[in-house]
Amino acid sequence: MAESGAELKREVIDAAARFADTPDLRSVLVTSVLNLEKLEYDLYRGKHHWVPRSQRLFGGQIVGQALVAAARSVTDQLHVHSLHCYFLRAGDPKVPVLYQVDRTRDGRSFCVRSVKAIQHGQPILTCQASFHMSQPSPLEHQFTMPSVPPPDALLTVEELIQRHLSDPNVADVTKQGLNKILAEEVPIEIKPVNPPDFRRHVVMEPKKLFWVRAKGHIGEEDMKLHCCVAAYVSDYSLLPTALLPYPKYRAQFSASLDHAMWFHNTFRADQWMLYECESPWAGGSRGLVQGRMWRQDGVLAVSCAQEGVLRAKNTTQSKL
Ligand SMILES: CC(C)(COP(=O)(O)OP(=O)(O)OC[C@H]1O[C@@H](n2cnc3c(N)ncnc32)[C@H](O)[C@@H]1OP(=O)(O)O)[C@@H](O)C(=O)NCCC(=O)NCCSC(=O)CCC(=O)O
């Protein structure tokens, strides 16, 4: 029991610190993935958390970390409004990634930073991020958010998988695949608007809608951090949109080649946002995908676009 006002205050501060450090309450994206270690002036080191089954680093992690490095070199008044990245080489999960920032230009309203992500002495990603000191403007418009059920009315991917697994007719190979998905520690929560076709039987339009948020708490103050988390989240499940019309094909090799983002309005990446993904084109073993993230109140927060390599194989072809 605290005996004095000062001791009580200390206990409250300690309890708050313990609360804040509880890993399941604070997003691992904030405590670990996007918490870069500073090695030198404009040089940082990032560590990994979740690594996809492809055993190449998740593109969103590299983009998010590159944006953290860039954002540390600009003042608090400047906010990222766009970024453009190329994924040059597969990221190696066995070693950390270094981020080297070049202060490309400092203007009155805009600042541009170029970031190189390096492993084994070679660039795995180049990123240019532009920051802006926002100004009021009479020119304001946006598309209307699609009308969908709210996140409270929908199930998470994990809940949908559990429900599907309880069906005794599910094939063993499908069960194995779904159990692998359940075992992954992706720091993102997803609630699809339309339940996914786990059996991959149905030809679908190359469009999907899902609610998405970072797992854990981030807090409301740091808009720069929310943008970095959105950069991480935005690469998740975007490219597979291009595969929806081709249930008979399996992507033998798929990887994002580039990633671009535009940040329009403030948002919280630890609160549900509607992610609207569509693929207007695929051809030549590549696919283009575009995404829009909407706040629950209908405000367009983020737009993004990405091209990926998609080398597909017909799974129904005879092996003879
Ligand atoms: C895209 C590539 C691979 C560049 O392709 P290249 O073909 O030029 O590279 P390469 O080194 O010559 O070849 C790589 C592999 O592809 C094979 N290959 C090359 N050309 C081929 C062709 N025409 N047909 C069939 N296979 C081909 C090579 O034999 C080699 O296979 P072997 O290896 O068997 O020898 C590279 O730029 C890259 O890896 N970038 C990083 C992409 C990335 O990691 N993105 C982020 C993660 S993806 C992501 O996060 C998406 C999110 C999500 O999963 O939803």
Side-chain angles (χ1 to χ4, degrees):
M1 276 279 275
E3 282 166 16
S4 67
E7 276 175 83
L8 181 64
K9 197 172 164 194
R10 165 66 28 218
E11 274 188 16
V12 170
I13 292 169
D14 288 349
R18 281 198 302 278
F19 180 86
D21 286 342
T22 308
D24 57 344
L25 293 177
R26 289 202 70 201
S27 170
V28 70
L29 291 173
V30 174
T31 56
S32 171
V33 181
L34 300 175
N35 189 12
L36 299 187
E37 179 190 354
K38 182 168 181 173
L39 300 177
E40 246 295 355
Y41 179 78
D42 284 344
L43 184 67
Y44 299 90
R45 176 160 53 200
K47 52 189 168 201
H48 324 310
H49 174 65
W50 163 71
V51 176
R53 274 176 283 163
S54 63
Q55 286 306 306
R56 56 171 59 220
L57 287 182
F58 173 49
Q61 176 186 295
I62 314 170
V63 177
Q65 291 181 337
L67 184 56
V68 170
R72 288 209 187 157
S73 69
V74 301
T75 62
D76 287 347
Q77 292 75 43
L78 288 159
H79 289 281
V80 64
H81 69 92
S82 72
L83 60 82
H84 297 262
C85 303
Y86 276 102
F87 297 102
L88 302 172
R89 293 179 176 83
D92 177 358
K94 292 190 282 303
V95 295
V97 184
L98 297 183
Y99 294 90
Q100 196 172 49
V101 182
D102 176 68
R103 302 188 183 215
T104 309
R105 180 178 181 270
D106 283 316
R108 208 177 115 205
S109 301
F110 290 90
C111 276
V112 176
R113 299 290 181 257
S114 305
V115 183
K116 214 186 270 180
I118 301 162
Q119 281 188 316
H120 304 296
Q122 291 190 304
I124 61 166
L125 168 121
T126 57
C127 174
Q128 288 206 305
S130 181
F131 296 79
H132 186 212
M133 196 178 295
S134 192
Q135 292 166 277
S137 162
L139 314 179
E140 275 191 12
H141 75 268
Q142 64 156 65
F143 283 178
T144 304
M145 182 167 94
S147 175
V148 299
D152 290 352
L154 297 166
L155 299 177
T156 63
V157 169
E158 288 79 9
E159 288 164 337
L160 288 164
I161 290 178
Q162 296 288 10
R163 203 158 77 170
H164 189 68
L165 286 173
S166 66
D167 176 350
N169 298 320
V170 176
D172 282 348
V173 60
T174 310
K175 271 188 198 159
Q176 280 167 15
L178 292 176
N179 278 319
K180 275 187 195 159
I181 295 176
L182 286 180
E184 289 189 52
E185 287 183 38
V186 186
I188 300 172
E189 282 182 281
I190 282 184
K191 289 190 171 192
V193 168
N194 296 305
D197 170 26
F198 293 122
R199 291 194 174 91
R200 298 205 64 225
H201 281 168
V202 184
V203 174
M204 293 164 87
E205 260 196 302
K207 291 183 180 190
K208 64 179 168 186
L209 288 157
F210 55 92
W211 292 99
V212 67
R213 68 179 178 191
K215 274 185 191 159
H217 183 73
I218 295 175
E220 96 185 88
E221 285 117 58
D222 194 345
M223 195 51 224
K224 280 193 173 123
L225 190 54
H226 285 286
C227 290
C228 298
V229 174
Y232 183 102
V233 169
S234 65
D235 189 38
Y236 189 73
S237 200
L238 179 61
L239 189 55
T241 312
L243 296 171
L244 290 175
Y246 314 103
K248 291 198 175 83
Y249 287 82
R250 194 171 57 84
Q252 277 185 309
F253 182 82
S254 76
S256 29
L257 295 168
D258 58 14
H259 194 75
M261 299 183 76
W262 295 266
F263 299 87
H264 312 302
N265 273 295
T266 57
F267 60 91
R268 280 189 62 165
D270 56 352
Q271 292 184 349
W272 291 114
M273 288 200 285
L274 181 68
Y275 201 7
E276 183 186 13
C277 303
E278 57 191 12
S279 171
W281 173 87
S285 292
R286 301 191 313 280
L288 178 67
V289 282
Q290 294 165 342
R292 283 192 278 274
M293 280 187 193
W294 301 87
R295 284 187 344 207
Q296 271 195 74
D297 61 1
V299 168
L300 181 60
V302 180
S303 301
C304 53
Q306 172 177 109
E307 197 178 25
V309 54
L310 298 166
R311 293 187 184 128
K313 186 184 174 195
N314 190 333
T315 51
T316 58
Q317 258 169 12
S318 161
K319 293 202 173 86
L320 294 177

